[in-house]
Amino acid sequence: MLFVHGSCHGAWCWAENFLDYFAAYGYDSYALSLRGHGQSDGRDVVQWASVKDYVADVARVAGELARPPVLIGHSLGGLVVQKYLEKYTAPAAVLVASSPASGMFMRGLALFCRRPLLFTKTFLRLDVQTVYGTPDLVKDMLFSAGMEKSKVERYAELCGKESFRAFLEMMFYLPKPEKVKAPVLVLGAANDAIVRPRAIESTGRAYRATVKVFPGMAHDMMLEDGWEDVAAYIRQWLKANNI
């Protein structure tokens, strides 16, 4: 299994819970930090890295594994996985609170209207990290109201730079589901401030995929309280599909 993180995150977001969980059930589990994220090189050029660049990062790591991995992508990482599957084969893919097949343009407008000052600063600075600039913003965008404060503060410190180009490509560089042959599972969170359940369901229809929206959860489903339910659902789906 190869886990792909979303905007401003890194491999750390999967290492917190998911890698050990799936390893305990016999899956060889890996997470990469895309260029300029986490401990990876490229921080000096990440500002204008493209989704194609990120796909190349995933392809490089996947090519080093013993066999083609199941791909699990979160948020922007979900878009990366969708574009990867247009070109490369995989046993299966799981999209977790993923950038939808229809793109983020309309939802982006809604988010701008909700927090106009915040997103104006983001565009003026060309800096996606502005969206996650404080623990309060991280909690508002990524987590449920009841999320433990100390955890939110720790995750906020781990959030880093993101490509402004990739941020824009989430709106305009749309996936092509008709090119994807791998079985796909689409998961979402009922209280997600970034990707609404309606978009999750639309993505599921585009891929003719199984869809599950988890109640009481927010965007960072791999870190939220209740992450075990998400991981168990993925495992059961893989088992049902003999993967």
Side-chain angles (χ1 to χ4, degrees), residues 53-151:
D53 291 331
Y54 291 164
V55 170
D57 294 341
V58 174
R60 177 181 55 80
V61 174
E64 295 172 353
L65 302 180
R67 55 184 181 274
V70 174
L71 276 296
I72 301 91
H74 174 251
S75 197
L76 170 59
L79 173 59
V80 174
V81 167
Q82 290 175 75
K83 300 306 288 188
Y84 175 95
L85 292 172
E86 294 174 13
K87 185 176 181 181
Y88 301 97
T89 60
V94 183
L95 305 179
V96 181
S98 171
S99 180
S102 58
M104 284 291 293
F105 180 73
M106 293 306 297
R107 185 59 188 161
L109 285 178
L111 288 169
F112 185 91
C113 292
R114 179 186 169 210
R115 303 292 294 265
L117 181 59
L118 175 64
F119 282 94
T120 296
K121 287 181 180 178
T122 299
F123 276 86
L124 289 175
R125 296 172 179 174
L126 304 180
D127 185 2
V128 183
Q129 193 177 8
T130 301
V131 178
Y132 308 112
T134 68
D136 285 344
L137 286 171
V138 167
K139 185 171 184 179
D140 182 56
M141 299 298 291
L142 302 179
F143 295 109
S144 299
M147 186 68 171
E148 186 178 327
K149 182 179 179 181
S150 61
K151 287 185 177 181

Side-chain angles (χ1 to χ4, degrees), residues 35 45-51 53-54 163-167 169:
R35 65 186 67 188
V45 297
V46 68
Q47 177 78 337
W48 300 110
S50 68
V51 170
D53 291 331
Y54 291 164
S163 165
F164 193 76
R165 175 176 175 174
F167 173 71
E169 286 182 332

